[in-house]
Amino acid sequence: MNIEQLQLKNYRNYEMLDISFNDRLNVIIGENAQGKTNLMEAIYVLAFSKSHRTPREKELVQWEREYAKIEGRITKRNQTIPLEVMLSAKGKKAKLNRVEQRKLSNYIGALNVVMFAPEHLSLVKGPPQTRRRFIDMELGQIQPTYIYHLGQYQKVLKQRNHLLKQLQRRQIQDKTMLAVLTDQLIQHASLLLERRFVFLDLLRQWTTPVHHSISHGTERLEIRYAPTIEVSESANKEKIESMYTTKFHELQKKEIERGTTLIGPHRDDMTFYVNRKNVQTYGSQGQQRTVALSVKLAEIDLIQSEVGEYPVLLLDDVLSELDDQRQSHLLDTIKGKVQTFVSTTNINGIHHETLREAQLFRVENGTVDT
Amino acid sequence: MYYPEPISKLIDSFTKLPGIGPKTAVRLAFFVLNMKDDDVLDFAKSLVNAKRELTHCSTCGHITDQDPCAICQDTSRDGSIICVVQDPKDVIAMEKMKEFNGKYHVLHGAISPMDGIGPEDINVPDLISRLKDEEVEELVLATNPNIEGEATAMYISRLVKPSGIKTSRIAHGLPVGGDLEYADEVTLSKALEGRRDL
């Protein structure tokens, strides 16, 4: 799929913008603080209806303006589809084919985006929530109902934590409601875990060969998922449910003492091993970057295999962070099939033949010149 | 101060209603000024009477002008089956259907620890004592199909289970008369989950 056209209104430092893109490589050049990342972020918001940089949507609206609007025209399976995300103090509206979508899960997935920004280099060494977020976002793109179930899980979790706090403070004694919320939580937790297992399987399938090739056949990457219960990844939902039930039963006293839910998908983690060594603790900077890159590249193929179309790739300020060899591996992979947006301060750092067919955009203080 | 006090007070009152913003409130207030005196008086009386004469039925919790309410008093209705709902409006929705001939119990809310609402804050204790006093065979749990409504239904079902009274939960999924292709993924997956043998 491609983004043909993007229109911004009152978005961050863009008062008004209307640009059309090349269906291959688009290079966005500009000094720091001119709006390169804002432009990339706008495409991201168009896909996910939220930003990867901030949870506060107010920041996306230009200073002293009522609303911000992002409109895009994408092509997907030879069809042109208009998308629109509008953000204001009253909330946000997402329109697909000019029809407002009340449920986020009906909107997300229309435009598939893989973003690679400097913060993604920390996928390996960062805190566990970085990795959980990665799984949730990617899974949500290929399976819209996952987002709904994740939302439901988080709601039950919040209710349950409140109840555990009340039990901890002895404001209530009766544990019937705890049992109800535990059952409800297990229902959603098992569903999430089962889907994450399937996703992990796909991720491994696509990541291992990519990593093998980037490392010139010297490294073997292994991805392990660490759930808070001991269960095999091939287990079905019923099996997962019964494991959770046993574990929650064991932990009940401790959970009340601590006043919070101690197990569940919101506490799971994922670890990367290269040649049987944990990259997070023993890997070099370079190895950690290679792993992050492999995972991101694998995502492109994973989405293609699940959705049937290549996603749009956003490379925000990362090309310069990679050495020549990794850079060319990345550009070779996407050559001719993935619409790509690259932002950089200096184009001289990129040597690759794909650059010849690229369209250049110069960003200066919220305006774009082609 | 743009408005004389009587009208600004009226505007203020209108904004207290749900779905009425400041602009609509101004429009409504000025409309009232142009209404016939009798109409305004009737309007004011209905407001006061609705509030003064309506109470909650001491048996089922439904809004009523007589206690117990007309439904609870109706001997032709089947008292062995009770439909548990969250809101008086839900009773009216069920009644419109004209197919349910049992009685009701209105909870006035759902259990939500986050908002500090426990079982005793909604009409649950009354329901339990009702089950002891009356000959009830089945509870139809018709709370809303969201997290809180679901949890409330599960809670009541657990509480009632030892007594041997049957509990059932209303189905959710596709709307009747709708087209499958227009259903969203979540509703569709719920419908698939709740499929039954033919």
Side-chain angles (χ1 to χ4, degrees):
Chain A
M1 58 188 79
N2 290 329
I3 303 173
E4 283 183 358
Q5 192 194 19
L6 184 74
Q7 286 172 297
L8 302 181
K9 200 166 181 220
N10 304 333
Y11 184 82
R12 294 243 191 208
N13 69 336
Y14 292 94
E15 195 165 325
M16 197 74 115
L17 182 73
D18 184 350
I19 41 174
S20 303
F21 297 116
N22 184 332
D23 62 2
R24 293 282 170 258
L25 187 61
N26 297 277
V27 180
I28 295 148
I29 316 165
E31 294 296 315
N32 288 325
Q34 299 301 311
K36 297 189 300 294
T37 299
N38 290 350
L39 194 58
M40 297 292 226
E41 185 193 37
I43 297 175
Y44 189 92
V45 177
L46 190 65
F48 295 106
S49 81
K50 59 175 129 189
S51 164
H52 63 294
R53 280 151 87 199
T54 171
R56 287 174 297 277
E57 259 134 32
K58 221 178 122 194
E59 288 177 19
L60 307 182
V61 183
Q62 204 172 42
W63 188 247
E64 289 189 331
R65 297 294 165 141
E66 296 269 304
Y67 69 95
K69 192 154 89 171
I70 309 168
E71 280 177 275
R73 209 173 60 225
I74 64 167
T75 48
K76 191 175 172 182
R77 292 189 199 97
N78 301 323
Q79 275 189 314
T80 306
I81 305 168
L83 298 179
E84 181 185 316
V85 173
M86 177 131 128
L87 305 151
S88 69
K90 282 184 199 152
K92 66 182 159 198
K93 277 186 190 163
K95 287 187 186 172
L96 170 63
N97 264 327
R98 310 202 192 282
V99 181
E100 189 184 336
Q101 304 293 322
R102 289 272 173 82
K103 284 184 185 154
L104 227 51
S105 54
N106 289 347
Y107 180 80
I108 296 175
L111 170 63
N112 294 119
V113 160
V114 170
M115 178 176 245
F116 197 22
E119 58 261 38
H120 293 116
L121 290 169
S122 64
L123 180 72
V124 179
K125 62 173 175 186
Q129 67 252 38
T130 332
R131 289 177 285 279
R132 284 195 295 265
R133 198 180 136 84
F134 162 79
I135 296 177
D136 292 340
M137 291 305 279
E138 302 320 323
L139 199 44
Q141 281 206 65
I142 54 176
Q143 210 175 50
T145 51
Y146 181 83
I147 301 169
Y148 167 80
H149 291 295
L150 183 67
Q152 296 283 298
Y153 176 76
Q154 282 159 347
K155 270 188 204 156
V156 183
L157 182 66
K158 211 167 160 188
Q159 292 284 17
R160 191 171 185 271
N161 283 341
H162 273 272
L163 189 75
L164 283 166
K165 284 251 152 54
Q166 290 164 11
L167 284 161
Q168 182 195 33
R169 295 190 198 121
R170 293 179 194 284
Q171 286 161 337
I172 48 167
Q173 309 286 333
D174 183 35
K175 296 201 182 89
T176 320
M177 195 58 200
L178 182 63
V180 167
L181 288 180
T182 306
D183 275 357
Q184 221 176 7
L185 193 75
I186 290 172
Q187 284 286 322
H188 295 286
S190 318
L191 218 131
L192 293 185
L193 195 58
E194 190 193 26
R195 292 185 183 198
R196 282 190 186 177
F197 283 159
V198 174
F199 173 75
L200 256 292
D201 202 40
L202 283 171
L203 190 67
R204 286 190 193 107
Q205 269 175 42
W206 291 106
T207 314
T208 319
V210 172
H211 190 85
H212 193 74
S213 143
I214 298 184
S215 65
H216 293 295
T218 56
E219 294 183 354
R220 223 179 67 80
L221 175 68
E222 210 188 318
I223 304 173
R224 286 187 207 162
Y225 186 77
T228 42
I229 47 166
E230 278 168 44
V231 65
S232 132
E233 286 193 14
S234 56
N236 59 7
K237 193 164 167 270
E238 285 69 39
K239 176 77 186 153
I240 299 173
E241 268 172 29
S242 81
M243 291 305 289
Y244 270 127
T245 309
T246 320
K247 190 85 178 183
F248 270 118
H249 191 73
E250 281 170 28
L251 284 172
Q252 201 195 63
K253 219 179 124 207
K254 213 169 154 192
E255 283 197 314
I256 293 173
E257 264 170 38
R258 303 266 293 272
T260 191
T261 302
L262 295 173
I263 56 166
H266 68 293
R267 289 195 166 217
D268 292 354
D269 198 2
M270 174 165 72
T271 27
F272 300 95
Y273 289 80
V274 164
N275 297 339
R276 296 182 173 276
K277 273 197 301 194
N278 186 335
V279 195
Q280 190 178 8
T281 21
Y282 301 110
S284 68
Q285 266 302 359
Q287 274 179 322
Q288 291 175 346
R289 280 175 180 218
T290 312
V291 171
L293 180 63
S294 308
V295 172
K296 282 285 159 181
L297 287 180
E299 243 187 83
I300 297 172
D301 289 312
L302 195 157
I303 290 177
Q304 200 276 334
S305 81
E306 292 299 298
V307 178
E309 292 235 357
Y310 280 107
V312 170
L313 179 64
L314 306 176
L315 300 171
D316 187 19
D317 246 341
V318 276
L319 272 191
S320 51
E321 300 253 346
L322 300 171
D323 59 30
D324 280 0
Q325 185 232 329
R326 293 202 188 95
Q327 230 182 58
S328 70
H329 195 284
L330 194 155
L331 293 170
D332 280 341
T333 321
I334 58 175
K335 202 172 70 187
K337 51 185 186 189
V338 183
Q339 188 191 30
T340 307
F341 295 80
V342 173
S343 78
T344 181
T345 46
N346 189 350
I347 197 164
N348 297 331
I350 312 165
H351 316 278
H352 198 272
E353 48 176 314
T354 49
L355 222 52
R356 260 180 270 138
E357 53 182 88
Q359 187 170 356
L360 303 186
F361 297 88
R362 285 180 201 283
V363 176
E364 209 183 324
N365 200 12
T367 55
V368 177
D369 281 328
T370 50
Chain B
M1 204 55 192
Y2 296 99
Y3 303 112
E5 207 194 317
I7 191 152
S8 69
K9 265 189 166 171
L10 186 58
I11 294 170
D12 211 39
S13 305
F14 275 125
T15 37
K16 285 182 183 142
L17 300 175
I20 308 279
K23 279 183 190 159
T24 314
V26 171
R27 223 182 91 214
L28 291 176
F30 276 91
F31 184 83
V32 170
L33 292 187
N34 292 326
M35 275 165 70
K36 277 191 228 145
D37 283 4
D38 287 351
D39 286 347
V40 176
L41 211 61
D42 272 354
F43 189 15
K45 267 189 196 155
S46 328
L47 275 177
V48 176
N49 288 348
K51 183 70 189 157
R52 192 180 290 155
E53 286 170 21
L54 284 184
T55 51
H56 292 151
C57 169
S58 57
T59 313
C60 71
H62 187 42
I63 43 165
T64 176
D65 52 354
Q66 56 197 38
D67 193 18
C69 71
I71 297 172
C72 287
Q73 280 186 23
D74 188 344
T75 47
S76 71
R77 296 187 80 114
D78 181 0
S80 71
I81 178 164
I82 292 181
C83 177
V84 181
V85 294
Q86 277 180 226
D87 198 274
K89 282 185 293 212
D90 300 334
V91 174
I92 290 156
M94 291 288 288
E95 280 301 280
K96 272 192 197 154
M97 178 179 68
K98 294 193 194 304
E99 274 178 39
F100 179 72
N101 196 35
K103 296 195 170 173
Y104 294 96
H105 195 84
V106 185
L107 295 174
H108 295 284
I111 303 172
S112 171
M114 217 164 82
D115 305 303
I117 302 171
E120 54 296 321
D121 299 310
I122 56 175
N123 221 352
V124 172
D126 282 0
L127 176 66
I128 302 304
S129 63
R130 232 181 124 177
L131 295 180
K132 283 187 193 122
D133 302 341
E134 298 171 27
E135 299 270 313
V136 180
E137 282 164 28
E138 184 179 349
L139 275 189
V140 181
L141 299 164
T143 48
N144 293 336
N146 53 24
I147 295 282
E148 290 77 24
E150 207 66 53
T152 308
M154 281 160 77
Y155 176 84
I156 294 172
S157 155
R158 255 174 202 266
L159 225 56
V160 170
K161 197 140 269 172
S163 69
I165 295 169
K166 188 183 163 196
T167 54
S168 55
R169 179 86 177 106
I170 50 161
H172 39 237
L174 294 172
V176 175
D179 282 326
L180 203 66
E181 57 171 323
Y182 296 126
D184 63 273
E185 284 97 344
V186 174
T187 308
L188 212 50
S189 81
K190 281 276 169 220
L192 194 66
E193 221 177 88
R195 68 184 183 276
R196 56 192 171 79
D197 291 331
L198 278 181

